Amino acid sequence: MTASAHPHTRVMVELGDRSYPVDIGPGVRHALSGVIAGLGAQRVAMVSARPDGWLPDPGVPSVVLRARDGEADKSLATVEELCREFVRFGLTRSDAVVSCGGGTTTDVVGLAAALYHRGVPVVHLPTSLLAQVDASVGGKTAVNLPEGKNLVGAFWQPSAVLCDTDYLQTLPAAEMLNGYGEIARCHFIGAGDLRGLPLAEQIAASVALKASVVSADERDSGLRHVLNYGHTLGHALEIVTDFRLRHGEGVAIGTVFAGRLALALGRIDEARAAEHLEVVRGYGLPFALPADADPGRLIEVMRLDKKATDGLTFVLDGPGGPELVSGLAEETVATALAGMDRADPYDRP
């Protein structure tokens, strides 16, 4: 099977001479050898969290390095380990790195590629829905510290992204749900209503939205903040639940909260706030705070968010669309948290 055997969608991330394609559809992973040839790479380090059968032929000598998806391995120690393996393999700046896995693998491999020899080309083969609609596109690479999510990272754009939808057929329902958390939040940042569309179209629309934002604001100086819709509370929920709550699930709950907080600040009306809940529930996502999540601890962690340069900071909907809102009073945030439903979200399919 070749990538050309099936229709696929190409979205370009326009960044001048660093522009790159994101190909979406069944079988697109088999285009990898052509991508590697286009880069002129003589050898490739393939970092994979998936079985070897999921890896396409890169067309040049390669080594396969094992990775594990999951927040426990999203660390500087993992990045160092990978870079040392690159040295053992003899990887040079004119070679390339390929990631094959979910969001964690994409982030970790991207950062390792950014740091090794001060930057080597990287190609992403995201295998989870979350990674296809979010982590693989935009060049944000990061790992966690015990104090917070994604606090150490670099901007390093990939040379290409191959979102093969065949990969998604093997995912459990809970992991698909994880990706839908990112798709749901796109409803409120310009993608329109994606509910009911075929999955490949939902992915393409989410990627196109992110590509347009990244092209306009590559390094998070302004507009790109809108991509963090729902993420301030979402990241905090991941941390306080010790990652029992997955990223997309946290973002979904954070999206509902963003609607409540925007309503409390008079930025949107009741109907728009209710739409946040309706959309999140429409994807079958969790919408309630975990019953055991302490509001005080959540606020403490949210203060450490990367966007929080002036007190508690959130991306919130408003009359002119979503924007970064800083300096929110703790009492306002606490009151909005207190108004959220509570439930045990850990019983998943």
Side-chain angles (χ1 to χ4, degrees):
M1 181 175 65
T2 64
S4 59
H6 298 283
H8 69 274
T9 300
R10 169 166 286 185
V11 175
M12 289 299 300
V13 181
E14 301 288 355
L15 292 167
D17 60 2
R18 292 177 297 110
S19 297
Y20 57 92
V22 181
D23 288 338
I24 303 150
V28 298
R29 68 187 183 278
H30 297 293
L32 178 65
S33 59
V35 172
I36 297 300
L39 292 173
Q42 299 300 304
R43 54 201 310 173
V44 168
M46 303 183 74
V47 187
S48 177
R50 298 295 181 265
D52 286 350
W54 289 36
L55 286 170
D57 181 3
V60 296
S62 61
V63 64
V64 177
L65 305 175
R66 298 259 63 94
R68 292 182 299 182
D69 275 322
E71 297 291 335
D73 288 295
K74 196 174 177 182
S75 67
L76 283 168
T78 305
V79 171
E80 179 183 357
E81 197 175 304
L82 285 176
C83 289
R84 294 182 71 183
E85 291 289 351
F86 297 165
V87 174
R88 293 185 189 105
F89 182 56
L91 203 73
T92 72
R93 290 184 72 177
S94 60
D95 296 323
V97 175
V98 173
S99 74
C100 182
T104 296
T105 297
T106 304
D107 274 4
V108 170
V109 175
L111 183 56
L115 296 176
Y116 184 70
H117 286 325
R118 297 189 181 92
V120 294
V122 63
V123 178
H124 294 312
L125 276 61
T127 61
S128 70
L129 181 56
L130 180 72
Q132 291 193 2
V133 300
D134 186 42
S136 63
V137 180
K140 273 189 175 182
T141 72
V143 295
N144 303 334
L145 296 177
E147 292 77 14
K149 284 252 315 172
N150 299 333
L151 293 180
V152 179
F155 289 96
W156 189 245
Q157 299 294 343
S159 298
V161 180
L162 302 174
C163 294
D164 194 325
T165 52
D166 286 342
Y167 283 143
L168 305 182
Q169 296 174 11
T170 66
L171 295 181
E175 191 50 53
M176 288 296 290
L177 201 63
N178 194 23
Y180 274 117
E182 292 285 359
I183 292 175
R185 72 86 163 81
C186 286
H187 183 104
F188 301 100
I189 59 174
D193 195 347
L194 305 181
R195 291 172 291 178
L197 293 180
L199 179 58
E201 291 183 31
Q202 292 176 323
I203 295 169
S206 300
V207 169
L209 172 67
K210 185 165 187 178
S212 68
V213 173
V214 170
S215 297
D217 178 21
E218 182 182 2
R219 292 183 171 264
D220 250 352
S221 59
L223 176 64
R224 189 164 176 169
H225 289 315
V226 303
L227 296 174
N228 286 305
Y229 204 87
H231 282 59
T232 303
L233 178 59
H235 284 163
L237 285 168
E238 287 181 82
I239 291 166
V240 302
T241 63
D242 198 23
F243 299 102
R244 285 186 298 163
L245 203 64
R246 291 183 173 94
H247 176 75
E249 295 171 323
V251 169
I253 297 168
T255 296
V256 174
F257 177 72
R260 293 193 63 94
L261 188 55
L263 174 64
L265 294 170
R267 296 178 55 84
I268 60 174
D269 60 19
E270 290 272 5
R272 182 65 168 171
E275 188 178 344
H276 285 67
L277 178 59
E278 176 197 343
V279 168
V280 166
R281 293 185 71 168
Y283 284 99
L285 289 157
F287 55 88
L289 286 178
D292 56 354
D294 175 59
R297 173 67 178 140
L298 287 171
I299 289 173
E300 179 184 326
V301 174
M302 286 191 287
R303 287 190 181 281
L304 299 175
D305 186 87
K306 297 186 301 301
K307 299 182 299 298
T309 56
D310 177 23
L312 288 163
T313 302
F314 297 83
V315 180
L316 297 176
D317 201 1
E323 62 182 349
L324 199 64
V325 180
S326 301
L328 293 184
E330 182 174 321
E331 304 77 49
T332 304
V333 176
T335 300
L337 282 172
M340 292 280 286
D341 290 331
R342 292 276 187 161
D344 185 352
Y346 307 121
D347 296 327
R348 304 185 184 91

